[in-house]
């Protein structure tokens, strides 16, 4: 599929030159800083030198004082506390962190993860009943609850108090909990808004430790869990999150908890993790527990205190992940075949596919794969508890949640955000929903939004990529949303030495510009360009710069995102 290339507007040249001189770095690196809102020497120092002292006071968060007082009161009077969280990576890491911290200082504490298929997302009536019937008078809910107004009202009737720690956008009414920790509350003045659910849990234990003179090291020892949640929940890696991710990655690479260490072992990689490695190697395995079996296995792994338990759980989770891959690939193949053989579906601006036998645990992954292939808003549906349930994914710039809102009269429920959502409907409304969703998308999406975009940060001469440039560029990491690995464009490059295929589709080659060194390149899924680049004709490339490690040999490699033989 063709992709459109767009280059960011160059910042003011005087600002670029001034900051480059102050920092003694290449002007292209200065452009990248200014694009990130960094315009002074002090701001650059803050960005390049993350420090745990940059973390904000947790008591700046609305209701934090109330939350800590209620926990202190529960501990002082010997109440039973239940740590409750969602079944995905963010929820299970949050539960593991908060449970482990408080378990070290208090015995009457357990955790609860709702069943994905029986109870669904968020706080459930069944979970509240479990707490009430087993003597739990306080629930700390993590990564969920901000819109559970009716469930919290029910909990209050059953004399179960709630502290909600959530990072999703609140509705018009906040639940009547003892405390609601969510920096996205309209009345919350906390300076940073983009935490993961686990990040909110971290701020809770940071506050409790501060108030009760517990050493900060007993909080920061959980930063590996926070970094995993930040990576896998795809939250912004800016501000406070960037500090947490930076030190969390250090912990993953140097001193992970037993559970994370054994999971890294079964993933086949024991060090040098970047955010993307966490997303692709650890995240799917943690998620597989809840998708295929029971997310409690993930918590049991992450809170494990001995290698025997951790090894047993990591091997189990790895098996579940292999099972998940099997479902994922077979369902993706079926769905792609359905689309390819349906002329009407091929001509649409949305994709909605349904098969009552598909595994509900992997349909979100399948929706992402179909979106990659056809690049349009996509919904994958299956049968669940007598209803039709599904996962939806969007394309850059298109608000999927708003499109579903326009179909709300045909839905039992829906929730999510701009780019990903879940929904449930009655089977008899399926056909009407498919047509309505297509009508809404067709009327509101632009032709431009249906063509995938490569956003290019800056133009670069290959000769500028020297050791100091690469060293400074690496200090922009950890990379992720709002701080993505920069994409560069270099013009009139040509193959010098080698071009060939790796596997069936991946292009590997060495390129140079006039007067530059030769650089190794990998272009995934771009094997169709082999003949053209081998012709020795000049072409343009857009790419990220990365370090390639092969048998202890380290070299700079260009990861090619696009190849063009005509001028941009």
């Amino acid at each position: 599929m063709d992709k459109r290339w767009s280059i960011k507007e160059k910042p003011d040249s005087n600002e670029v030159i001034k900051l480059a001189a102050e920092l003694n770095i290449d002007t292209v690196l200065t452009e990248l800083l200014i694009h990130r809102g960094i315009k002074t020497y002090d701001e650059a120092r803050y960005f390049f030198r993350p420090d745990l002292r940059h973390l904000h006071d947790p008591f700046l968060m609305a209701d934090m004082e109330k939350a800590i007082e209620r926990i202190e009161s529960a501990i002082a009077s010997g109440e039973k506390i239940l740590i409750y969280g969602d079944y995905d990576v963010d929820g299970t890491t949050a539960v593991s962190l908060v449970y482990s911290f408080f378990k070290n200082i208090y015995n009457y504490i357990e955790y609860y993860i709702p069943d994905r298929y029986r109870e669904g997302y968020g706080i459930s009536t069944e979970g509240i009943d479990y707490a009430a019937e087993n003597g739990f008078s306080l629930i700390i809910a993590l990564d969920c609850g901000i819109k559970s107004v009716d469930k919290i009202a029910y909990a209050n009737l059953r004399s179960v108090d709630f502290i909600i720690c959530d990072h999703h956008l609140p509705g018009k009414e906040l639940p009547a909990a003892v405390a609601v920790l969510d920096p996205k509350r309209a009345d919350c003045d906390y300076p940073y808004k983009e935490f993961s659910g686990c990040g909110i849990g971290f701020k809770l234990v940071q506050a409790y430790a501060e108030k009760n003179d517990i050493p900060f090291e007993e909080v920061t020892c959980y930063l590996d869990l926070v970094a995993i949640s930040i990576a896998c929940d795809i939250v912004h890696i800016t501000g406070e999150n960037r500090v947490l991710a930076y030190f969390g990655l250090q912990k993953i690479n140097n001193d992970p908890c037993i559970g994370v260490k054994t999971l890294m072992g079964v993933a086949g990689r024991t060090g040098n993790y970047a955010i993307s490695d966490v997303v692709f190697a650890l995240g799917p395995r943690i998620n597989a527990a809840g998708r295929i079996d029971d997310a409690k296995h993930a918590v049991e792994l992450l809170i494990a205190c001995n290698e025997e338990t951790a090894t047993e759980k990591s091997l189990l989770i790895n098996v579940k992940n292999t099972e998940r891959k099997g479902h994922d690939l077979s369902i993706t193949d079926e769905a792609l075949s359905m689309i390819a053989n349906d002329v009407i579906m091929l001509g649409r601006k949305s994709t909605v596919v349904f098969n009552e036998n598909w595994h509900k645990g992997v349909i979100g992954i399948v929706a992402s794969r179909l979106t990659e292939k056809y690049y349009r808003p996509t919904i994958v549906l299956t049968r669940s508890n007598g209803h039709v349930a599904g996962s939806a994914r969007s394309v850059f710039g298109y608000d999927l949640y708003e499109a579903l809102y326009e179909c709300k009269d045909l839905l039992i429920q829906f929730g999510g955000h701009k780019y990903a959502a879940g929904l449930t409907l009655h089977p008899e409304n399926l056909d009407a929903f498919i047509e309505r969703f297509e009508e809404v998308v067709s009327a509101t999406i632009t032709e431009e939004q249906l063509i995938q975009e490569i956003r290019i940060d800056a133009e670069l001469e290959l000769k500028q990529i020297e050791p100091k440039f690469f060293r400074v560029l690496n200090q922009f990491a950890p990379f992720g949303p709002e701080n993505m690995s920069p994409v560069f464009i270099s013009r009139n490059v040509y193959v010098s030495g080698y071009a060939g295929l790796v596997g069936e589709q991946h292009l590997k080659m060495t390129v140079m510009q006039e007067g530059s060194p030769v650089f190794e390149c990998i272009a995934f899924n771009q094997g169709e360009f082999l003949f053209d680049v081998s012709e020795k004709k000049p072409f343009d490339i857009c790419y990220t710069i990365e370090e390639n490690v092969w048998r202890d040999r380290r070299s700079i490699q260009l990861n090619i995102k696009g190849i063009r033989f005509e001028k941009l």
Side-chain angles (χ1 to χ4, degrees):
M1 178 185 288
D2 282 342
K3 297 178 182 178
R4 56 193 169 97
W5 297 16
S6 64
I7 303 180
K8 290 181 182 175
E9 195 175 319
K10 273 181 167 287
D12 178 88
S13 59
N14 292 327
E15 279 188 359
V16 170
I17 292 164
K18 179 174 180 290
L19 188 56
E22 288 176 358
L23 298 173
N24 189 28
I25 60 173
D26 193 294
T27 53
V28 170
L29 294 168
T30 313
E31 286 180 31
L32 301 178
L33 288 172
I34 293 172
H35 280 147
R36 285 159 171 72
I38 298 160
K39 297 184 178 181
T40 68
Y41 178 89
D42 286 339
E43 288 170 347
R45 185 176 60 182
Y46 185 98
F47 178 77
F48 284 132
R49 300 286 180 268
D51 193 313
L52 288 170
R53 288 172 297 183
H54 294 163
L55 299 180
H56 300 301
D57 176 358
F59 287 99
L60 294 174
M61 199 175 290
D63 279 5
M64 185 63 83
E65 195 74 57
K66 291 179 186 174
I68 300 306
E69 285 175 2
R70 181 64 185 88
I71 294 169
E72 289 173 334
S73 162
I75 290 174
S77 56
E79 295 176 56
K80 288 175 74 176
I81 302 173
L82 190 64
I83 312 298
Y84 186 112
D86 191 23
Y87 41 69
D88 66 2
V89 176
D90 194 15
T92 52
T93 51
V95 167
S96 301
L97 186 158
V98 175
Y99 173 83
S100 296
F101 175 83
F102 283 110
K103 188 67 175 173
N104 282 335
I105 56 177
Y106 188 63
N107 279 330
Y108 303 116
I109 186 163
E110 289 181 23
Y111 61 87
Y112 186 97
I113 306 287
D115 182 272
R116 182 185 207 107
Y117 304 105
R118 196 178 63 252
E119 297 169 75
Y121 170 79
I123 293 165
S124 68
T125 304
E126 189 174 325
I128 295 166
D129 288 341
Y130 172 85
E133 288 156 17
N134 289 277
F136 292 93
S137 49
L138 175 62
I139 294 178
I140 300 174
L142 297 148
D143 189 35
C144 59
I146 196 64
K147 290 187 176 176
S148 300
V149 174
D150 56 335
K151 296 292 194 299
I152 303 306
Y154 175 70
N156 289 336
L157 289 175
R158 299 221 61 182
S159 301
V160 176
D161 284 347
F162 262 84
I163 293 169
I164 290 171
C165 305
D166 205 347
H167 66 125
H168 298 100
L169 199 63
K172 290 179 182 174
E173 181 186 351
L174 290 179
V178 170
V180 177
L181 305 179
D182 187 337
K184 292 192 174 100
R185 283 175 56 167
D187 61 344
C188 182
D189 295 327
Y190 193 81
Y192 190 73
K193 305 290 185 185
E194 302 301 331
F195 288 112
S196 62
C198 186
I200 304 288
F202 176 85
K203 298 307 292 187
L204 177 74
V205 301
Q206 183 191 356
Y208 186 90
E210 195 176 296
K211 179 102 179 286
N212 290 276
D213 298 320
I214 295 170
F216 191 41
E217 296 73 32
E218 292 186 29
V219 178
T220 56
C221 66
Y222 301 110
L223 282 176
D224 48 357
L225 300 180
V226 181
I228 291 169
S229 78
I230 288 170
C232 298
D233 218 53
I234 318 180
V235 292
H236 294 180
I237 301 190
T238 55
E240 198 163 358
N241 271 352
R242 189 164 178 274
V243 176
L244 294 169
Y246 178 87
F247 287 99
L249 282 174
Q250 282 192 357
K251 181 124 179 43
I252 288 169
N253 288 318
N254 301 316
D255 181 32
C257 70
I258 294 171
V260 172
K261 184 179 180 180
T262 57
L263 193 63
M264 290 161 72
V266 300
R269 181 170 179 176
T270 54
N272 202 29
Y273 273 71
I275 288 291
S276 57
D277 302 309
V278 173
V279 170
F280 293 111
L282 303 184
R285 287 174 167 82
I286 296 171
N287 256 335
R291 290 185 189 280
I292 302 299
D293 190 358
D294 189 333
K296 290 189 180 77
H297 293 307
V299 177
E300 287 164 1
L301 168 68
L302 297 173
I303 66 172
C305 297
N306 62 73
E307 294 220 5
E308 188 181 345
T309 302
T311 301
E312 177 194 329
K313 289 297 171 186
S314 60
L315 289 171
L316 172 65
I317 281 173
N318 206 44
V319 167
K320 296 301 173 188
N321 188 51
T322 303
E323 194 179 328
R324 185 272 307 167
K325 281 184 192 171
H327 288 302
D328 164 12
L329 293 173
S330 65
I331 294 171
T332 300
D333 285 346
E334 283 181 44
L336 287 171
S337 178
M338 285 170 68
I339 299 165
N341 292 314
D342 188 321
V343 177
I344 293 173
M345 206 183 292
L346 281 171
R348 295 192 163 204
K349 293 186 177 177
S350 69
T351 298
V352 184
V353 288
F354 167 74
N355 184 315
E356 64 180 20
N357 298 314
W358 285 343
H359 195 295
K360 190 186 174 193
V362 301
I363 56 177
I365 301 168
V366 175
S368 295
R369 293 192 191 283
L370 299 185
T371 307
E372 284 172 22
K373 171 72 175 174
Y374 287 101
Y375 207 70
R376 57 196 189 193
T378 298
I379 301 175
V380 180
L381 299 162
T382 188
R383 281 270 189 176
S384 178
N385 298 326
H387 296 135
V388 172
S391 283
R393 298 292 183 270
S394 194
V395 296
F396 184 76
Y398 185 74
D399 196 326
L400 179 71
Y401 187 89
E402 285 299 318
L404 290 174
Y405 184 82
E406 294 300 317
C407 308
K408 66 181 185 297
D409 57 305
L410 295 170
L411 302 174
I412 298 170
Q413 61 181 34
F414 70 100
H417 53 79
K418 185 172 182 176
Y419 293 119
L423 62 152
T424 310
L425 62 154
H426 293 295
E428 58 268 26
N429 287 339
L430 178 59
D431 291 340
F433 170 74
I434 292 171
E435 294 309 313
R436 174 85 64 81
F437 186 70
E438 170 64 16
E439 284 170 19
V440 171
V441 172
S442 294
T444 53
I445 201 164
T446 65
E447 290 302 322
E448 215 174 42
Q449 286 170 329
L450 290 166
I451 303 170
Q452 194 166 359
E453 179 184 35
I454 300 175
R455 306 188 77 203
I456 298 165
D457 292 88
E459 185 162 348
L460 192 64
E461 297 286 328
L462 292 184
K463 65 185 178 187
Q464 291 174 267
I465 308 171
E466 39 78 46
K468 181 184 175 183
F469 182 97
F470 186 58
R471 206 165 51 244
V472 176
L473 183 66
N474 278 340
Q475 292 176 41
F476 279 72
F479 295 118
E482 302 300 310
N483 185 43
M484 299 300 286
S485 182
V487 177
F488 301 102
I489 182 172
S490 292
R491 303 182 194 274
N492 294 318
V493 308
Y494 55 91
V495 167
S496 174
Y498 171 80
L501 292 183
V502 179
E504 293 179 11
Q505 311 170 60
H506 312 312
L507 175 61
K508 196 165 178 63
M509 58 184 172
T510 50
V511 304
M512 65 178 293
Q513 275 175 322
E514 220 43 69
S516 84
V518 175
F519 286 92
E520 296 176 356
C521 304
I522 183 72
F524 292 106
N525 299 309
Q526 295 178 69
E528 73 271 18
F529 287 110
L530 176 59
F531 176 78
D532 289 325
V533 300
S534 300
E535 291 280 280
K536 304 293 184 185
K537 295 183 293 187
F539 53 94
D540 299 345
I541 53 173
C542 58
Y543 56 92
T544 57
I545 306 171
E546 59 191 25
E547 185 174 54
N548 183 40
V549 182
W550 174 249
R551 293 180 178 170
D552 295 330
R553 177 179 168 262
R554 294 173 180 271
S555 60
I556 292 175
Q557 176 176 269
L558 310 184
N559 188 328
I560 308 291
K561 305 300 179 185
I563 296 171
R564 281 215 172 146
F565 286 86
E566 70 275 7
K567 289 290 180 197
L568 180 60

